[in-house]
Amino acid sequence: MRIPLFALILIATPAWGQSMEDLRVHPTARELEVSFRVEEAFSDTVEERVQSGLPTAFIFQFDLLRDRKHWWDDYLRSATLEVVAMYNAVSQEYLLNIKQNGKLVESRTARSLRELERLMTRFEGWPVFRLDDLPAGTRLLIKARARLGGKTYLDLVPVNVTTDWVSSRKFLVPDSEGG
């Protein structure tokens, strides 16, 4: 039995080890904040790319779903959070731009590669969705994943590095008085 080369490549593609961890939700009557971290996102390839001055981006994708028992969850909306790092060799600082749904919302500066890694892979209480248009008591959950750039497998096959989708705990939209 002959197995095509591309099938062998797919079978033999290693797990890169990156994972999105500790996805927590913080709902209020007006918006939904998330906290999360990504483990092992800064590989040697990412560090080399950042140190060379090339813009390096991590893109976090979030899907808001209505939880339905005994049926597929109902997709409501999605959001993206993109963090782009650039190294300035003259000032020896890293500029980090944070975009939400394509719009620049914040810029930060890091003085070391470790600080940059922390700023790019750990988020606490970041607002991603408005909830004020959903009825109180609606049961929701978030699914999220990270796209961490690309690599080449066997120095030949380009692959996108993404984490698996992770789900938050289920939660209810609070009423406007209770928060």
Side-chain angles (χ1 to χ4, degrees):
M1 179 173 141
R2 295 181 61 177
I3 299 175
L5 177 62
F6 72 90
L8 286 175
I9 291 171
L10 291 176
I11 292 169
T13 301
W16 301 109
Q18 294 85 357
S19 62
M20 191 175 239
E21 302 285 335
D22 203 21
L23 177 63
R24 297 181 319 274
V25 293
H26 316 283
T28 67
R30 297 185 50 92
E31 65 185 8
L32 177 68
E33 297 175 349
V34 297
S35 299
F36 64 92
R37 62 184 162 62
V38 179
E39 293 298 324
E40 300 186 35
F42 260 62
S43 63
D44 292 339
T45 306
V46 170
E47 286 186 20
E48 288 172 16
R49 183 174 171 86
V50 169
Q51 292 292 76
S52 72
L54 292 170
T56 304
F58 291 170
I59 301 171
F60 305 100
Q61 299 171 289
F62 302 95
D63 286 344
L64 182 65
L65 305 166
R66 178 181 294 119
D67 179 50
R68 296 194 295 185
K69 294 180 182 179
H70 313 299
W71 200 248
W72 288 284
D73 294 330
D74 186 23
Y75 170 84
L76 297 175
R77 57 187 80 135
S78 66
T80 59
L81 177 64
E82 181 178 3
V83 291
V84 181
M86 292 169 283
Y87 180 63
N88 183 335
V90 175
S91 65
Q92 296 186 350
E93 292 179 331
Y94 303 90
L95 173 64
L96 183 70
N97 289 324
I98 302 172
K99 298 177 183 179
Q100 190 157 353
N101 299 322
K103 296 179 184 172
L104 181 67
V105 293
E106 190 174 336
S107 290
R108 299 178 182 175
T109 305
R111 301 209 183 279
S112 71
L113 195 58
R114 293 304 134 225
E115 181 184 4
L116 179 69
E117 179 179 8
R118 182 183 55 76
L119 290 173
M120 289 184 75
T121 60
R122 287 167 175 39
F123 289 85
E124 195 68 39
W126 193 268
V128 288
F129 294 111
R130 305 251 338 145
L131 295 179
D132 52 3
D133 61 337
L134 295 172
T138 304
R139 192 171 148 125
L140 304 172
L141 72 139
I142 285 192
K143 289 193 175 185
R145 77 170 177 180
R147 287 193 345 223
L148 306 170
K151 289 187 178 187
T152 55
Y153 180 64
L154 301 176
D155 291 330
L156 178 68
V157 181
V159 292
N160 285 323
V161 177
T162 60
T163 64
D164 290 333
W165 285 96
V166 295
S167 296
S168 71
R169 65 173 171 77
K170 295 172 176 132
F171 61 95
L172 299 175
V173 174
D175 60 10
S176 58
E177 299 90 37

